[in-house]
Amino acid sequence: MHILLSSVQEEFHKAVSFLKKEYASLQTGRANSGLVEDIEVEQYGQRMPIRHLANISLNGQEILIDPWDRSVLSVIEKAIREKSDLGLNPINNGVAIRINVPPLTEDRRREMVKIVHQKAEHARVSIRQARQGVQEKLRKEEKDGGMSEDDLKRLEKDLQKEVDEANKKVEDLCKHKEIEVMTV
């Protein structure tokens, strides 16, 4: 396998992994630690995700954030209110933060499906850009005499197979998340 094909596989894997992470942070009307664990908080002179500052647990439709240091409670609460676009209302009881995750309305579910499709399209664009970069390098290598035209065609065919596989993964993730969002 050509070295460019193995490097593009890694790029495709990154795009799919990023999409999975993005989908984990989408509110689906169920309590999910992924909604808050990656929200960054300014503490101890640096930016840290909440998961590095507290235990995050689930209790039915509620997320419980129990910081190891009580002095970060207000900072975490503020970050959830201001920096997340989830529209969640954290409740600080002086010991922990509770977040009640309300069920989604039908209109909000439809909006979320649109967001799911937008995020999938961003992943597809990343895949296309990676493919285009590799195709340009392969054509340049062929033009410079580094490979034959037959080798170029074979490698482009192999590249397209990789692109198709990555796009299938994106499509499968998209369909799964759409079903999850629309399930009441």
Side-chain angles (χ1 to χ4, degrees):
M1 178 178 279
H2 197 275
I3 192 160
L4 289 174
L5 287 182
S6 57
S7 70
V8 82
Q9 284 177 329
E10 190 174 316
E11 291 296 317
F12 295 164
H13 179 71
K14 285 180 186 176
V16 172
S17 295
F18 184 76
L19 181 63
K20 287 179 184 177
K21 186 177 175 185
E22 287 288 302
Y23 281 171
S25 69
L26 284 179
Q27 182 185 1
T28 60
R30 292 179 203 85
N32 175 358
S33 63
L35 294 173
V36 295
E37 66 185 14
D38 288 326
I39 295 174
E40 289 196 343
V41 176
E42 185 76 37
Q43 190 62 23
Y44 308 120
Q46 57 186 344
R47 301 190 63 70
M48 301 177 162
I50 291 176
R51 71 174 179 270
H52 290 175
L53 297 168
N55 281 327
I56 302 171
S57 57
L58 307 175
N59 182 12
Q61 287 292 100
E62 186 176 71
I63 300 172
L64 179 66
I65 302 170
D66 187 13
W68 297 302
D69 178 1
R70 301 280 184 247
S71 67
V72 300
L73 272 169
S74 60
V75 179
I76 292 173
E77 179 186 12
K78 182 179 178 187
I80 292 169
R81 277 189 209 283
E82 295 176 0
K83 296 179 183 164
S84 75
D85 57 352
L86 301 171
L88 298 175
N89 189 23
I91 301 165
N92 181 346
N93 64 11
V95 177
I97 295 173
R98 295 182 183 282
I99 304 170
N100 188 14
V101 181
L104 296 176
T105 63
E106 187 67 26
D107 289 339
R108 183 69 178 136
R109 288 181 191 282
R110 286 192 184 108
E111 287 176 34
M112 293 303 289
V113 167
K114 289 178 186 175
I115 293 170
V116 165
H117 287 282
Q118 287 172 350
K119 291 186 182 297
E121 185 56 32
H122 288 303
R124 287 187 205 103
V125 167
S126 294
I127 290 167
R128 284 194 297 268
Q129 288 173 339
R131 175 187 62 194
Q132 185 177 6
V134 169
Q135 282 177 328
E136 288 172 1
K137 289 176 185 175
L138 288 173
R139 289 179 184 142
K140 184 178 182 331
E141 191 175 324
E142 188 257 343
K143 184 179 178 184
D144 294 344
M147 73 172 74
S148 68
E149 190 176 335
D150 289 342
D151 288 340
L152 174 67
K153 295 293 182 195
R154 182 183 49 77
L155 288 171
E156 284 181 336
K157 195 176 191 179
D158 292 345
L159 175 62
Q160 188 58 46
K161 285 179 187 175
E162 296 294 331
V163 168
D164 293 342
E165 281 181 34
N167 280 330
K168 174 139 180 41
K169 289 177 186 175
V170 167
E171 190 59 35
D172 291 345
L173 286 171
C174 181
K175 285 179 182 177
H176 183 267
K177 192 64 176 183
E178 182 178 350
I179 290 168
E180 183 181 334
V181 168
M182 292 306 291
T183 302
V184 178

